[in-house]
Amino acid sequence: MISSETINDYLARLAARQPTPGGGAAAALHAAQGAALVAMVARYTTGEKYAQHEALVTRITSAADHLIVEALRLADADEHAFQGVIDSYKLPTGTEELKAARAAGIVDALIQAAQTPAHLIKLAGEVVELAAELFDVANPNVISDVAAAADAARAAATTARVNIDINVVAIKDDAARSRLAEQTDGLEEKVVLAADSLVKRVRERILA
């Protein structure tokens, strides 16, 4: 499991000629790193100098820590879901009934595989929101890490979007394909806009 293995072991598996882990898991780890950076900046924004912001910073720290755990869970879930897609393509096709069951199984697996990146995009949006909240009060010595957090979350959202797209186009059932497209179209756009805006604000503050 990604959530319990070393970075070296994960990267070795990611680099291997095998289908999982892949881009979906990488997207989840982008989000986990974004959340971790938010938590780190929050923990550097404590003490007497930041006492007036203690409640806000405490809430952000707790929320970011939770998002790290949730992003790692989604990394594992993505790997599991994609394995389900692979397994569905291996189902037997010896009879018409088996062919129909295989086709239905593939659609179900593809729809399921698209759910994890959809959840991940929402999580990435939460990371950017926390980073934006922290921006106004953050310790200036680590303000660049607010931008790093936003960029990591942005990467998570755009990578997850591509993973949804490849599942949507693989679905041959038009109705199922349309339903999934309706559920996921445009999910990442707000995250990208918010992340880009925050990075711009951070750079302006640093360079002012």
Side-chain angles (χ1 to χ4, degrees):
M1 293 175 65
I2 294 169
S3 58
S4 59
E5 66 187 329
T6 67
I7 292 174
N8 278 338
D9 287 346
Y10 161 72
L11 291 177
R13 289 202 303 126
L14 186 64
R17 185 184 170 89
Q18 59 186 36
T20 62
L29 290 183
H30 286 320
Q33 290 190 103
L37 284 164
V38 170
M40 183 267 282
V41 174
R43 288 190 166 95
Y44 271 111
T45 310
T46 57
E48 184 178 349
K49 183 176 179 181
Y50 303 99
Q52 61 180 317
H53 307 302
E54 182 178 356
L56 172 67
V57 171
T58 298
R59 177 176 61 77
I60 290 174
T61 304
S62 177
D65 284 346
H66 170 74
L67 291 179
I68 295 169
V69 175
E70 181 62 11
L72 290 176
R73 187 191 69 76
L74 290 176
D76 288 330
D78 184 87
E79 187 172 3
H80 179 75
F82 190 65
Q83 187 60 51
V85 173
I86 295 169
D87 292 343
S88 70
Y89 278 101
K90 295 177 180 176
L91 290 172
T93 58
T95 67
E96 291 303 315
E97 289 77 12
L98 288 174
K99 287 181 182 177
R102 175 178 178 274
I106 290 171
V107 170
D108 289 344
L110 288 168
I111 291 174
Q112 183 59 40
Q115 299 306 311
T116 302
H119 288 308
L120 182 61
I121 291 173
K122 293 176 183 175
L123 187 150
E126 293 177 47
V127 172
V128 176
E129 288 174 6
L130 290 176
E133 282 191 274
L134 195 54
F135 171 75
D136 288 329
V137 303
N139 184 328
N141 294 322
V142 286
I143 196 67
S144 62
D145 289 307
V146 172
D151 266 336
R154 185 189 196 283
T158 54
T159 305
R161 173 73 254 176
V162 173
N163 280 281
I164 292 172
D165 291 341
I166 199 167
N167 287 315
V168 169
V169 299
I171 295 173
K172 306 305 180 189
D173 181 320
D174 289 341
R177 184 173 174 168
S178 296
R179 284 197 302 274
L180 184 56
E182 288 173 5
Q183 293 170 8
T184 58
D185 278 355
L187 273 181
E188 84 289 0
E189 292 173 1
K190 289 183 179 178
V191 180
V192 170
L193 289 172
D196 287 349
S197 173
L198 181 55
V199 171
K200 181 174 182 288
R201 291 166 65 198
V202 171
R203 293 196 67 209
E204 287 173 348
R205 179 178 291 184
I206 291 172
L207 298 173

